[in-house]
Amino acid sequence: GNSVTQMEGPVTLSEEAFLTINCTYTATGYPSLFWYVQYPGEGLQLLLKATKADDKGSNKGFEATYRKETTSFHLEKGSVQVSDSAVYFCALSNAGNMLTFGGGTRLMVKP
Amino acid sequence: DGGITQSPKYLFRKEGQNVTLSCEQNLNHDAMYWYRQDPGQGLRLIYYSQIVNDFQKGDIAEGYSVSREKKESFPLTVTSAQKNPTAFYLCASIPHGRDYGYTFGSGTRLTVV
């Protein structure tokens, strides 16, 4: 079956630090991959996506590259801000509509 | 603007009461989903519906019920059989096809008093 594994948090960084949140997946075929962000008390928002191998998704300074050879989709940002503090979820979509989510990684950015 | 509306944002339930959480979308999406999120935890699937008048149980369906009489609406009832209903409930929808990802509502926080 499908599964998504994320690094456990919390990840605590100082403002302007470099961010990496690891995500690896197990799936048959060629899934689509997503990163969602959840701010406190809110629903999840789609941050970026990639639908085929070697695609790079990007949005708001965040990037992730679909690496089929390592079954990974790590989230990166060159310089985090306090406003990036949130929970980040990696997810995949395979045959059909349903998404499989990782457990989420809490990011805390200190001024 | 199109989107998903969940209401109410906060809901309080007494012991033994049934409560219904509303989820409405005007995105013309085919499939809709209900998830439960406990503090500091990930998402757990309660029920989902791929088409009107049809729905399937997710991983934690016990103590919950749903209906899908209209494409736009997918209400969730938390029954008295759900012994630990305090949680954050999220509704999501998606058009047909695997490349789009979900659109989520802003959630309902249910508390048992």
Side-chain angles (χ1 to χ4, degrees):
Chain A
N2 299 328
S3 68
V4 177
T5 302
Q6 293 180 232
M7 59 190 294
E8 288 196 20
V11 174
T12 304
L13 296 173
S14 297
E15 206 165 24
E16 300 184 0
F18 185 86
L19 168 70
T20 300
I21 299 178
N22 290 339
C23 171
T24 57
Y25 68 89
T26 301
T28 56
Y30 300 92
S32 295
L33 302 173
F34 306 85
W35 276 102
Y36 283 84
V37 58
Q38 184 181 32
Y39 298 103
E42 298 184 9
L44 278 68
Q45 302 173 25
L46 180 63
L47 181 60
L48 53 84
K49 68 177 183 180
T51 59
K52 61 182 186 294
D54 299 325
D55 267 2
K56 177 185 285 187
S58 61
N59 187 25
K60 300 180 181 179
F62 291 90
E63 294 183 340
T65 301
Y66 189 140
R67 302 287 189 199
K68 187 160 179 64
E69 63 276 13
T70 55
T71 62
S72 65
F73 193 54
H74 305 322
L75 183 68
E76 297 181 336
K77 186 174 185 183
S79 175
V80 294
Q81 305 300 311
V82 172
S83 58
D84 293 326
S85 298
V87 180
Y88 292 83
F89 290 91
C90 185
L92 72 81
S93 175
N94 216 333
N97 289 347
M98 194 173 302
L99 265 65
T100 299
F101 288 90
T105 302
R106 180 175 299 278
L107 170 66
M108 300 172 60
V109 181
K110 298 184 175 180
Chain B
D1 288 339
I4 297 182
T5 301
Q6 288 189 242
S7 61
K9 190 169 180 63
Y10 300 96
L11 185 58
F12 298 90
R13 191 193 94 168
K14 294 182 179 179
E15 296 281 353
Q17 232 180 14
N18 291 356
V19 291
T20 297
L21 284 59
S22 171
C23 178
E24 303 276 335
Q25 54 100 356
N26 60 2
L27 300 164
N28 199 33
H29 285 178
D30 299 300
M32 298 185 74
Y33 302 81
W34 275 106
Y35 286 89
R36 170 178 171 144
Q37 186 178 31
D38 292 286
Q41 302 296 314
L43 305 176
R44 292 189 288 171
L45 181 64
I46 305 172
Y47 267 99
Y48 64 101
S49 169
Q50 303 276 22
I51 194 170
V52 174
N53 291 323
D54 188 41
F55 48 81
Q56 284 77 41
K57 293 181 179 180
D59 301 320
I60 56 164
E62 185 175 352
Y64 300 97
S65 66
V66 293
S67 62
R68 187 85 186 277
E69 297 177 359
K70 300 185 299 182
K71 188 175 186 179
E72 306 80 35
S73 179
F74 191 42
L76 173 74
T77 297
V78 184
T79 74
S80 57
Q82 172 50 241
K83 298 307 178 187
N84 185 24
T86 295
F88 190 50
Y89 291 86
L90 288 162
C91 181
S93 71
I94 188 171
H96 182 72
R98 68 180 183 90
D99 292 343
Y100 298 98
Y102 291 169
T103 299
F104 281 87
S106 57
T108 293
R109 186 165 300 281
L110 173 63
T111 304
V112 173
V113 296

